[in-house]
Amino acid sequence: MKVTVVSRSGREVIKGGLELSDSATVADLQEAIHKRTKKFYPSRQRLTLPLPPGSKERPVVLSYKKNLKEYCDGNLGNLTVVFKDLGPQVSYRTLFFCEYLGPLVLYPVFYYFPVYEFFGYKGKRIIHPVQTYALYYWCFHYFKRIMETFFVHRFSHATSPLSNVFRNCAYYWTFGSFIAYYVNHPLYTPVSDLQMKIGFGFGLVCQLANLYCHMLLRNLRRPGGNGGYQIPSGFLFNIVTCANYTTEIYQWLGFNVATQTVSGYFFLVVATSIMTNWALAKHRRLKKLFDGKDGRPRYPRRWVILPPFL
């Protein structure tokens, strides 16, 4: 089988094409491209079928597991694929570890070290109990996230663009420092003892519920990270499509009830808006996939993310 590899502009990426066996898979094609180009390792490649000129349809992305014959459309001797360079890639575990490590390390710096002297505060700093509990709560959250990254999550995509590391780290590290600065500030005024207990207590329950939601999602994927989309069920997923985002939002609400800072509530609003967009997209995708037609189950009626509002 001869495979012609072209760019989106129609230029040949591999001069003369590639000769592969009739039983070759898309993964074999990616390895062959890598051998000829060196720079474009498999996870950096995106291969699609060419579209007719003027077509506005989305191109078919080749699955690395499938045989190339499945994409030949009757012409078993020749196949043309469109190549796109996705740029340098990193594993999702590397991405998540980097973005979560920053807040885990930076927050204690504001608690333990005299950083406020650099901002002009020379007086003696009094540490309130709520600031200590906030430190424990914060570190537990991000330690939990790192442990989930390595021992719980299963990823459907092996890699992410390297640029996402810088973007995500900027988001998490900046907000982590922003919140830590105000919660640990020498002029910080603590909330009442009852409000602190309610906030941290509610937030801790949500953190544990969030862990359980992630374990349920893990079981929807095979160990290799694949398995296709399934209808999540069990626990809060019986009433909310994205219960993992719901518990994530409410655990930060608990933190902010206990600490009461503008920076914390600002982070809550931004994070909620981001996760709401993700939840709406996933909800639409699941409803489209499970439409009750051709033997497929119908997606049950559920809240998207935040009962009783959405």
Side-chain angles (χ1 to χ4, degrees):
M1 173 187 295
K2 182 177 181 180
V3 181
T4 303
V5 184
V6 299
S7 65
R8 286 184 291 179
S9 63
R11 179 181 60 84
E12 269 197 296
V13 176
I14 307 294
K15 297 295 183 182
L18 294 166
E19 291 289 342
L20 298 172
S21 68
D22 291 342
S23 61
T25 64
V26 175
D28 295 329
L29 172 59
Q30 290 178 316
E31 287 293 345
I33 294 173
H34 182 213
K35 287 181 180 178
R36 290 284 296 272
T37 60
K38 302 300 181 185
K39 175 182 177 181
F40 303 124
Y41 44 87
S43 61
R44 187 168 173 165
Q45 303 172 26
R46 181 175 183 263
L47 302 177
T48 60
L49 294 179
L51 290 174
S55 175
K56 294 184 179 180
E57 296 182 6
R58 299 186 67 177
V60 176
V61 179
L62 276 60
S63 171
Y64 75 96
K65 287 186 172 182
K66 290 188 176 182
N67 193 291
L68 288 172
K69 283 185 177 180
E70 298 182 45
Y71 297 105
C72 286
D73 195 24
N75 188 3
L76 299 180
N78 293 279
L79 176 66
T80 299
V81 298
V82 179
F83 169 89
K84 179 183 178 182
D85 175 22
L86 298 176
Q89 302 285 300
V90 296
S91 71
Y92 270 97
R93 284 189 169 85
T94 299
L95 170 66
F96 287 169
F97 175 74
C98 291
E99 66 187 38
Y100 298 151
L101 181 64
L104 181 62
V105 172
L106 290 172
Y107 192 99
V109 170
F110 288 86
Y111 180 87
Y112 285 110
F113 296 97
V115 295
Y116 295 96
E117 292 181 4
F118 297 101
F119 297 99
Y121 298 97
K122 302 296 184 182
K124 184 178 179 181
R125 177 174 165 232
I126 299 175
I127 298 178
H128 302 283
V130 64
Q131 294 172 311
T132 302
Y133 291 131
L135 171 73
Y136 297 156
Y137 185 99
W138 182 279
C139 291
F140 173 74
H141 171 76
Y142 281 102
F143 178 76
K144 176 182 79 72
R145 280 196 164 190
I146 290 175
M147 292 299 101
E148 288 172 340
T149 297
F150 289 103
F151 301 109
V152 177
H153 294 321
R154 289 173 177 166
F155 302 99
S156 58
H157 301 287
T159 61
S160 172
L162 178 62
S163 59
N164 286 350
V165 174
F166 302 102
R167 182 196 65 186
N168 291 16
C169 285
Y171 171 80
Y172 280 101
W173 295 27
T174 301
F175 264 120
S177 300
F178 185 39
I179 295 170
Y181 174 83
Y182 285 101
V183 174
N184 296 290
H185 199 283
L187 301 181
Y188 173 79
T189 302
V191 300
S192 68
D193 189 60
L194 177 60
Q195 183 174 334
M196 177 191 71
K197 291 178 179 178
I198 291 174
F200 284 140
F202 175 72
L204 183 59
V205 170
C206 290
Q207 287 217 51
L208 297 175
N210 181 256
L211 172 61
Y212 187 56
C213 287
H214 287 158
M215 294 175 68
L216 290 176
L217 291 175
R218 166 192 170 88
N219 294 332
L220 293 179
R221 295 189 187 277
R222 300 192 187 100
N226 300 296
Y229 286 103
Q230 300 182 47
I231 298 176
S233 61
F235 192 46
L236 298 176
F237 286 108
N238 291 333
I239 57 174
V240 186
T241 293
C242 294
N244 51 320
Y245 296 152
T246 303
T247 51
E248 178 79 13
I249 291 169
Y250 282 136
Q251 70 185 19
W252 284 119
L253 176 63
F255 177 84
N256 283 300
V257 167
T259 56
Q260 207 85 318
T261 62
V262 173
S263 58
Y265 279 112
F266 181 57
F267 172 68
L268 177 64
V269 170
V270 173
T272 299
S273 64
I274 292 172
M275 285 186 278
T276 298
N277 287 332
W278 291 345
L280 288 169
K282 184 173 183 179
H283 189 76
R284 287 192 296 265
R285 186 163 56 245
L286 289 172
K287 288 187 68 176
K288 183 178 179 180
L289 287 171
F290 301 102
D291 54 8
K293 300 177 181 177
D294 300 325
R296 293 184 293 270
R298 179 177 290 278
Y299 193 74
R301 183 177 178 84
R302 291 176 177 172
W303 299 104
V304 178
I305 185 172
L306 291 174
F309 307 109
L310 183 61

